[in-house]
Amino acid sequence: MLFQLHFSIVILWYFYFNPLRNVGILCLVPVKFPSNNTYGGVWPKPVTYKTNSSFLVLRTSHFNFKVERYDCDIIQEAIRRYYFIIFMNVNSRSDYATSDVMDDRNKNFNKHFTGFLDVLQIHLMAPCESLPTEFMDERYELKIDADGFESSGLLIAQSVWGILRGLETFSQVIIPIKGHKYAVQLLSIMDFPRYSHRGLLVDTSRHYIPVTIILRILDAMVYSKMNVFHWHITDDQSFPFQSVSYPLLSQEGAYDRYLAIYTHLEIKRIIEYGRLRGIRVIPEFDSPGHTLSWGKGIPGFLTKCGNPEYGEYGPVDPSRESNYVILENLFKEISELFLDNYLHLGGDEVDFECWGSNQNILNFMKRNNISSFTELESFYIYKLLNITKKLNTKAVVWQEVFDNNVPLNNDTIVHVWKNEQDLDRVTKNGHKAILSSCWYLDHLSSGGDWEKFYSCNPLNFVSSFAQQQRILGGEACMWAEVVDETNIQQRIWPRACATAEILWSGISSSDSVPRLEEHVCRLKKRGVPAQPPNGPGFCPHFIL
Amino acid sequence: MLFQLHFSIVILWYFYFNPLRNVGILCLVPVKFPSNNTYGGVWPKPVTYKTNSSFLVLRTSHFNFKVERYDCDIIQEAIRRYYFIIFMNVNSRSDYATSDVMDDRNKNFNKHFTGFLDVLQIHLMAPCESLPTEFMDERYELKIDADGFESSGLLIAQSVWGILRGLETFSQVIIPIKGHKYAVQLLSIMDFPRYSHRGLLVDTSRHYIPVTIILRILDAMVYSKMNVFHWHITDDQSFPFQSVSYPLLSQEGAYDRYLAIYTHLEIKRIIEYGRLRGIRVIPEFDSPGHTLSWGKGIPGFLTKCGNPEYGEYGPVDPSRESNYVILENLFKEISELFLDNYLHLGGDEVDFECWGSNQNILNFMKRNNISSFTELESFYIYKLLNITKKLNTKAVVWQEVFDNNVPLNNDTIVHVWKNEQDLDRVTKNGHKAILSSCWYLDHLSSGGDWEKFYSCNPLNFVSSFAQQQRILGGEACMWAEVVDETNIQQRIWPRACATAEILWSGISSSDSVPRLEEHVCRLKKRGVPAQPPNGPGFCPHFIL
């Protein structure tokens, strides 16, 4: 046997064996520039990854995924996608960068050729689940082995979600070689995410983002193993959600009642697209602040400011009982449409000055012994939380809700956006938390700025193991004040990949710079307009 | 007569009559958001622009451009392009933003309907030129008039370049109205640029930019009346120019010898594309610094550093006589291929440390009584200037060449990039100058940052009228360290539009914010992925 795979269930958190760096010296590093990327490097970095320098060859005409069962739609759809991803552009010179690289790789490949890989056996150890949830198990094992000219490829997981993540890894370790063939090194990977919530927030209110672009963003999330699409669907600027209970909300509140809305069918399409890829779609209907666009469709819903300095309207009027009926009807529609167990209820940045300038609000506070505006906000949020609880929906809320001492369920997740240090207070109080403050993609600086996202590790901001366990993960946030469909993907990728790797691997890796170069080129090969991650360089796949 | 046009040859530099702002109150400002853009606003702002609120209607089926002569290819091609630009998407709801806007506009339109505009008469007063040069005359007059139901449209210019600029303006003042028709207000425009050199630098060395993207950039330049494409074609990182005299330069020095080069035919296509649009293509072959990529194809061309701290190689070796033969052959090929009277010779940021570490260089300096490295650089540049002079080519050089006291022709243009204040020294010494220091597009900040480009006015940095006359214009610079084909257009547009307007109009305008909103939406309608200029907003033309 040429190569004995030692596979260990022990989790080697801090042992990172970097196979590509090792064998690279012999064979994979190009002799000419561009010399600054890896070949077959996986993003995000797997937990354990062992390999040696022997290669198996994949032939387009022979290679097959073998599944034992045909009743699992998620797997069937996935192998179709990955067959295409792995073998597309098979005749393209683009795959080979410079021919010298290829010559080198090929020479080495000939030396270490061990056989053919004709089958990847996919073994799902439990029933086929249908919907990704906060509990989904994404662990997988991937082994490519050879014994003489007997070779084998095996992908095992306890759930379809692990199979999806393993297929993504498999697609990344395959490298093109000459003669329109593909090669893979013998390897053994055991992998799982450090955090269960690895999200991307996309704001579709400051600028409307067309559905096709949202679907492409979901595609790219999969390529970095992100699993939550946090859809910040409404805000002050526009209300693109077409509600069947309150159609005037988008008719009056969208930028355009036909061109700039999301219908139920479109939303279902996005949810289904995510479901097949193991991505949860969590919508945020932020209130009581950030709701100016709601007021256009529902007269009386917002507080009329008593002082024009604070604008004409302010947050939702918490003193009107009829508003809670509207919220109940609307959130009933929302919770039936969106399938996830969670809804994001917002609760950030409420404008107290407008409330304070409205006499009805002040009278209401007096009558109800509410002595401060934070208390008034708590009053509102508490009622909203009860509405969603009745609908069997759990809640994510921005950290202000916690900061204002609203009583929260154990299930409720507190979303920290002001300062990473706030994670400590939140988790010390026993609450589940996700982090975003250090991953605001709208904060710009010149190329290479993904490193500042990469250096932010949630574990560093809390003191005890128990607190660490309460951090479910985090989200990179693409607020859309200055992005629309022309530049949103370029702004997200590859910068959000840094967040994705920290949340999957739990630690940073020393080869992230060259590995991200390769990953960006991979994204471009797959059609994602990711911008250059570092400095000057070349990727042979052009997005035109 | 409904409307008497008073047309004056007196240049009303500081009299900006803003017709859209005026009639907008009655008819053109939407009652709903998005309320933050003009309708029919021209970018860059014309020098004089008079109008009233009467409208003529253009019918797709009736409208024609009428030219007296069919021997001018530039005009023939242009009217074909503009017919398409004006009437494309004629059936699209996208043209109307929200229907309420349309209703309003339509009501007003009905009130002020004056007749139909079926012909734009194009009157070229001089022979048809074929190639744009530094002397091109871009002045034009555009009149849309009506007398009862007799209407007339007239575009007059002394040269084809003025006709091109006038057609661009004409395409911008036409606004869509209901019923698949287009309207234009009665108007009288007399317009010309304050500066003759209004350029965009694109760096194709740090990242290779595909030809199709370069052509799209030329398209977009026209929409803001920019007229010089400064092609920073080579640099340290790569040599994408495929030379027929020295083919090894790109074979060894390009990122990829097939995928990442520009052939002669491709370059001719780009020059022709520019010619037809009144855009000069000026290539920069920067030397003696920024030439690492040259060394791969021509052994001995670069200085070998004596100290590895300064890298293996440094600038061109100025002590080898054979290098000047190579430069002469190469620049002969270049000056025959590129048709413009000017070449940009670079001359910036020369690394003296490598020169100082090489004993041959030091000996050469001693032998030739060269006492400093700036003098050595001058020695090199002086010889290079003589080579290009022999080739009948005039030179643009980066400001270091002036700073180092190289004797310069009157024709030579000094390109100021370090500090706008340096314009004063350069022009005081009698030299022609162009400015770039305040228009570096690679310097990033969040949305709305075009305003910092807009506030930079070259006139403010020199003291006398004579000096002002020596400022030919300037260039926005798109250095490509962190941009490639995925994000270069988004990074350029609309930020470079600010530079374009300052250089055309010579002063800033108070309605630039809403006018740029409209211009960005216009760019998107024409297929240019311009990013949002300011903050939240909506443009109904999506680039997917």
Side-chain angles (χ1 to χ4, degrees):
Chain A
M1 197 198 276
L2 280 178
F3 175 56
Q4 176 64 49
L5 280 171
H6 293 282
F7 193 76
S8 163
I9 292 298
V10 177
I11 304 147
L12 300 168
W13 268 110
Y14 295 96
F15 174 63
Y16 274 70
F17 174 65
N18 179 349
L20 295 165
R21 178 65 53 93
N22 270 3
V23 295
I25 297 160
L26 283 172
C27 66
L28 289 177
V29 169
V31 286
K32 295 188 13 177
F33 56 106
S35 61
N36 51 351
N37 59 302
T38 52
Y39 287 89
V42 180
W43 194 281
K45 192 94 169 176
V47 174
T48 65
Y49 188 156
K50 300 182 191 178
T51 186
N52 78 0
S53 57
S54 298
F55 283 96
L56 296 178
V57 163
L58 283 79
R59 294 165 295 185
T60 317
S61 49
H62 289 63
F63 181 81
N64 268 306
F65 292 104
K66 193 168 157 199
V67 283
E68 294 122 8
R69 39 200 282 186
Y70 290 85
D71 62 337
C72 187
D73 58 354
I74 290 180
I75 293 181
Q76 289 303 321
E77 291 284 323
I79 61 179
R80 221 169 106 40
R81 282 200 308 278
Y82 280 104
Y83 191 88
F84 185 75
I85 284 174
I86 293 168
F87 296 114
M88 68 182 161
N89 301 328
V90 68
N91 288 314
S92 162
R93 171 179 166 82
S94 309
D95 269 333
Y96 308 116
T98 66
S99 55
D100 307 87
V101 177
M102 208 52 235
D103 289 346
D104 259 37
R105 200 193 287 174
N106 215 50
K107 239 180 279 165
N108 180 69
F109 161 74
N110 288 335
K111 212 162 68 191
H112 295 283
F113 173 70
T114 303
F116 297 104
L117 181 68
D118 288 343
V119 173
L120 182 73
Q121 177 88 30
I122 294 174
H123 185 56
L124 172 60
M125 295 165 74
C128 174
E129 290 173 61
S130 66
L131 194 69
T133 70
E134 68 271 29
F135 303 115
M136 65 177 150
D137 178 359
E138 295 167 287
R139 181 181 306 248
Y140 68 91
E141 294 174 20
L142 176 65
K143 301 184 199 185
I144 312 291
D145 203 353
D147 184 357
F149 273 84
E150 276 300 305
S151 62
S152 66
L154 180 62
L155 171 61
I156 313 182
Q158 285 283 349
S159 82
V160 285
W161 321 117
I163 298 292
L164 290 180
R165 304 306 172 235
L167 282 170
E168 178 56 38
T169 297
F170 181 67
S171 75
Q172 296 191 5
V173 294
I174 292 166
I175 51 174
I177 54 167
K178 265 196 172 166
H180 302 169
K181 289 196 290 278
Y182 290 85
V184 63
Q185 286 180 284
L186 300 195
L187 55 77
S188 164
I189 292 173
M190 204 286 292
D191 199 13
F192 60 89
R194 171 62 185 82
Y195 294 102
S196 61
H197 188 117
R198 304 179 308 283
L200 175 68
L201 175 151
V202 172
D203 164 8
T204 59
S205 173
R206 272 62 175 252
H207 282 96
Y208 175 77
I209 307 296
V211 173
T212 55
I213 302 284
I214 291 177
L215 297 178
R216 288 187 219 164
I217 290 170
L218 293 180
D219 276 337
M221 287 175 67
V222 170
Y223 305 151
S224 295
K225 299 193 174 80
M226 298 180 97
N227 66 356
V228 178
F229 179 65
H230 171 172
W231 191 350
H232 186 87
I233 192 165
T234 67
D235 209 298
D236 285 334
Q237 285 77 5
S238 75
F239 195 101
F241 173 67
Q242 190 184 50
S243 162
V244 295
S245 340
Y246 297 95
L248 286 176
L249 278 168
S250 63
Q251 271 178 45
E252 300 298 320
Y255 278 127
D256 185 290
R257 66 182 63 183
Y258 297 114
L259 293 175
I261 61 165
Y262 303 106
T263 66
H264 273 224
L265 276 179
E266 285 173 324
I267 289 167
K268 282 179 183 164
R269 186 171 161 219
I270 289 167
I271 293 167
E272 174 67 2
Y273 202 86
R275 180 184 82 81
L276 290 171
R277 287 157 181 79
I279 295 177
R280 301 161 59 197
V281 177
I282 301 181
E284 176 184 355
F285 287 81
D286 194 357
S287 75
H290 292 279
T291 47
L292 289 184
S293 67
W294 304 40
K296 295 168 200 284
I298 308 180
F301 190 67
L302 301 182
T303 306
K304 194 153 171 73
C305 310
N307 182 336
E309 255 181 58
Y310 310 135
E312 193 178 355
Y313 293 103
V316 178
D317 185 340
S319 71
R320 288 169 62 116
E321 200 51 37
S322 60
N323 281 348
Y324 298 101
V325 179
I326 292 167
L327 286 167
E328 189 160 352
N329 293 337
L330 187 64
F331 275 100
K332 184 164 187 296
E333 177 184 345
I334 291 164
S335 73
E336 283 167 3
L337 176 60
F338 289 90
L339 303 176
D340 202 77
N341 297 329
Y342 275 87
L343 282 181
H344 200 304
L345 300 180
D348 59 323
E349 300 183 310
V350 181
D351 172 14
F352 292 156
E353 285 177 324
C354 179
W355 273 349
S357 69
N358 178 305
Q359 197 54 50
N360 290 340
I361 301 269
L362 296 173
N363 295 343
F364 175 81
M365 289 171 72
K366 213 171 203 172
R367 275 202 310 279
N368 291 274
N369 285 323
I370 297 173
S371 59
S372 72
F373 296 116
T374 56
E375 237 180 88
L376 181 62
E377 185 186 347
S378 299
F379 171 88
Y380 171 87
I381 293 276
Y382 186 72
K383 294 196 73 155
L384 184 59
L385 282 168
N386 276 339
I387 287 170
T388 55
K389 202 162 92 184
K390 267 205 289 185
L391 296 167
N392 269 323
T393 301
K394 302 180 222 176
V396 191
V397 291
W398 293 110
Q399 71 173 91
E400 282 95 326
V401 174
F402 164 79
D403 294 341
N404 293 342
N405 301 312
V406 178
L408 298 177
N409 282 343
N410 278 347
D411 282 339
T412 305
I413 298 170
V414 177
H415 196 163
V416 171
W417 70 276
K418 291 190 168 181
N419 194 312
E420 319 53 294
Q421 313 295 339
D422 297 331
L423 275 180
D424 195 47
R425 276 190 303 122
V426 172
T427 53
K428 210 167 250 158
N429 271 273
H431 294 298
K432 291 177 182 163
I434 55 177
L435 178 64
S436 276
S437 52
C438 48
W439 297 313
Y440 267 39
L441 300 168
D442 54 322
H443 296 178
L444 275 187
S445 51
S446 284
D449 73 341
W450 59 273
E451 299 200 2
K452 77 182 178 198
F453 301 132
Y454 198 65
S455 64
C456 177
N457 192 329
L459 294 176
N460 297 342
F461 306 109
V462 296
S463 28
S464 75
F465 182 72
Q467 282 176 271
Q468 287 186 357
Q469 294 307 101
R470 290 183 199 119
I471 304 178
L472 305 180
E475 297 180 354
C477 294
M478 187 68 265
W479 299 107
E481 278 85 352
V482 295
V483 294
D484 62 10
E485 86 288 354
T486 63
N487 62 341
I488 190 168
Q489 296 183 87
Q490 292 86 340
R491 195 76 35 108
I492 295 172
W493 312 115
R495 304 193 309 151
C497 301
T499 307
E501 174 150 304
I502 285 295
L503 291 174
W504 179 278
S505 309
I507 54 167
S508 55
S509 144
S510 62
D511 71 344
S512 56
V513 172
R515 205 156 32 80
L516 191 57
E517 283 285 336
E518 181 187 12
H519 191 53
V520 164
C521 199
R522 173 187 294 140
L523 291 176
K524 289 179 68 175
K525 186 182 174 190
R526 298 179 184 190
V528 180
Q531 64 179 21
N534 303 300
F538 180 65
C539 165
H541 302 285
F542 300 120
I543 306 271
L544 296 178
Chain B
M1 195 196 274
L2 281 178
F3 176 55
Q4 176 65 48
L5 280 171
H6 293 283
F7 193 76
S8 165
I9 293 299
V10 177
I11 303 145
L12 300 169
W13 269 111
Y14 295 96
F15 174 64
Y16 274 70
F17 175 65
N18 179 349
L20 294 165
R21 177 66 51 93
N22 270 2
V23 293
I25 297 160
L26 282 172
C27 68
L28 289 176
V29 168
V31 287
K32 296 185 14 174
F33 56 105
S35 60
N36 49 353
N37 59 303
T38 53
Y39 287 90
V42 180
W43 194 281
K45 191 94 170 176
V47 174
T48 65
Y49 188 155
K50 300 183 190 176
T51 186
N52 79 0
S53 57
S54 298
F55 283 96
L56 295 178
V57 163
L58 283 79
R59 293 166 296 184
T60 318
S61 49
H62 289 63
F63 181 80
N64 269 304
F65 293 103
K66 192 167 158 202
V67 284
E68 294 122 8
R69 39 202 281 183
Y70 291 85
D71 62 338
C72 188
D73 57 354
I74 290 180
I75 293 181
Q76 289 303 321
E77 291 285 322
I79 61 180
R80 224 170 103 40
R81 283 200 307 278
Y82 280 104
Y83 191 86
F84 184 76
I85 283 173
I86 293 167
F87 295 113
M88 69 183 162
N89 302 327
V90 67
N91 288 313
S92 163
R93 172 177 164 81
S94 310
D95 269 332
Y96 307 116
T98 65
S99 55
D100 305 88
V101 178
M102 209 50 237
D103 289 346
D104 258 35
R105 201 193 287 175
N106 215 50
K107 237 180 280 167
N108 181 70
F109 161 73
N110 288 334
K111 214 163 64 191
H112 295 283
F113 173 69
T114 302
F116 297 104
L117 181 69
D118 288 343
V119 173
L120 182 74
Q121 178 88 30
I122 295 175
H123 185 56
L124 173 59
M125 297 166 73
C128 174
E129 290 172 62
S130 66
L131 194 68
T133 70
E134 68 272 29
F135 304 115
M136 65 177 151
D137 178 359
E138 295 167 289
R139 180 181 305 250
Y140 68 92
E141 296 174 19
L142 177 65
K143 301 185 200 184
I144 312 290
D145 202 353
D147 183 358
F149 273 84
E150 275 301 304
S151 62
S152 66
L154 179 61
L155 172 61
I156 313 182
Q158 285 284 348
S159 82
V160 286
W161 320 118
I163 298 293
L164 290 181
R165 304 307 170 234
L167 282 170
E168 178 56 38
T169 297
F170 181 67
S171 75
Q172 296 191 6
V173 294
I174 291 166
I175 52 172
I177 53 167
K178 264 195 175 165
H180 301 168
K181 290 195 289 280
Y182 290 85
V184 64
Q185 286 180 285
L186 301 194
L187 54 77
S188 164
I189 292 174
M190 205 284 295
D191 199 15
F192 60 89
R194 171 63 186 81
Y195 295 102
S196 61
H197 188 117
R198 304 179 309 282
L200 176 69
L201 176 151
V202 172
D203 164 8
T204 59
S205 174
R206 273 59 177 254
H207 281 96
Y208 175 77
I209 308 297
V211 173
T212 55
I213 302 284
I214 290 177
L215 297 178
R216 287 187 219 166
I217 290 170
L218 294 180
D219 277 337
M221 286 174 67
V222 170
Y223 305 151
S224 295
K225 300 193 174 79
M226 298 180 96
N227 66 355
V228 178
F229 179 66
H230 172 173
W231 191 350
H232 186 87
I233 191 165
T234 66
D235 209 298
D236 285 334
Q237 286 78 6
S238 75
F239 195 101
F241 174 67
Q242 189 183 53
S243 162
V244 295
S245 341
Y246 298 94
L248 286 176
L249 278 168
S250 63
Q251 271 177 45
E252 301 297 321
Y255 279 127
D256 185 290
R257 65 182 63 183
Y258 298 114
L259 293 176
I261 61 166
Y262 303 105
T263 65
H264 273 222
L265 277 179
E266 284 172 325
I267 289 166
K268 282 179 181 163
R269 187 172 160 217
I270 288 167
I271 292 168
E272 174 68 4
Y273 202 86
R275 181 184 80 82
L276 290 171
R277 287 158 181 77
I279 296 177
R280 302 162 58 198
V281 177
I282 300 182
E284 176 184 357
F285 287 81
D286 194 359
S287 75
H290 292 279
T291 48
L292 289 184
S293 66
W294 305 41
K296 295 169 200 283
I298 308 180
F301 191 68
L302 301 182
T303 306
K304 195 156 169 72
C305 310
N307 182 337
E309 255 181 56
Y310 310 137
E312 192 178 356
Y313 292 103
V316 178
D317 185 340
S319 71
R320 289 168 62 117
E321 201 50 37
S322 60
N323 280 348
Y324 297 102
V325 178
I326 292 168
L327 285 167
E328 188 160 352
N329 294 335
L330 187 63
F331 275 100
K332 185 164 187 295
E333 177 185 343
I334 290 165
S335 73
E336 284 167 2
L337 175 61
F338 289 90
L339 304 176
D340 201 77
N341 296 330
Y342 275 87
L343 284 180
H344 200 303
L345 300 180
D348 59 322
E349 299 184 309
V350 181
D351 172 15
F352 292 156
E353 286 177 325
C354 178
W355 272 349
S357 69
N358 178 304
Q359 197 53 51
N360 290 339
I361 301 268
L362 296 174
N363 294 343
F364 174 82
M365 289 170 72
K366 214 173 205 169
R367 277 202 310 279
N368 291 276
N369 285 322
I370 297 171
S371 60
S372 72
F373 294 117
T374 56
E375 238 182 87
L376 182 62
E377 184 187 347
S378 300
F379 171 88
Y380 170 88
I381 292 277
Y382 187 72
K383 294 195 72 154
L384 184 59
L385 281 168
N386 276 338
I387 287 171
T388 54
K389 202 161 92 184
K390 268 204 290 185
L391 296 167
N392 271 322
T393 301
K394 302 180 221 177
V396 191
V397 292
W398 293 110
Q399 70 174 93
E400 282 95 326
V401 174
F402 164 79
D403 294 341
N404 293 342
N405 301 312
V406 179
L408 298 176
N409 282 342
N410 278 345
D411 282 338
T412 304
I413 298 170
V414 177
H415 196 162
V416 171
W417 70 276
K418 290 189 168 181
N419 194 312
E420 330 35 307
Q421 313 295 338
D422 297 332
L423 275 180
D424 195 48
R425 277 189 303 122
V426 172
T427 52
K428 210 167 252 158
N429 271 272
H431 294 298
K432 292 178 182 163
I434 55 177
L435 177 64
S436 277
S437 52
C438 48
W439 297 312
Y440 267 39
L441 301 167
D442 54 322
H443 296 177
L444 275 186
S445 52
S446 284
D449 72 342
W450 61 272
E451 299 201 3
K452 77 183 178 200
F453 301 131
Y454 198 65
S455 64
C456 176
N457 193 330
L459 294 176
N460 297 341
F461 306 108
V462 295
S463 27
S464 76
F465 182 72
Q467 283 176 271
Q468 287 186 357
Q469 293 307 101
R470 292 183 197 119
I471 303 177
L472 305 179
E475 298 180 353
C477 295
M478 187 68 268
W479 299 107
E481 279 85 353
V482 295
V483 294
D484 62 9
E485 85 289 354
T486 63
N487 61 341
I488 189 167
Q489 296 182 88
Q490 292 85 341
R491 194 79 33 109
I492 294 172
W493 313 115
R495 304 196 306 151
C497 302
T499 308
E501 174 150 305
I502 285 294
L503 290 175
W504 179 278
S505 310
I507 54 167
S508 55
S509 143
S510 62
D511 70 345
S512 57
V513 171
R515 207 158 31 81
L516 190 56
E517 283 285 336
E518 180 187 14
H519 192 53
V520 164
C521 199
R522 172 187 296 140
L523 291 175
K524 289 179 68 174
K525 185 181 175 191
R526 299 178 184 192
V528 180
Q531 64 180 20
N534 302 301
F538 179 65
C539 165
H541 303 284
F542 301 119
I543 307 269
L544 295 177

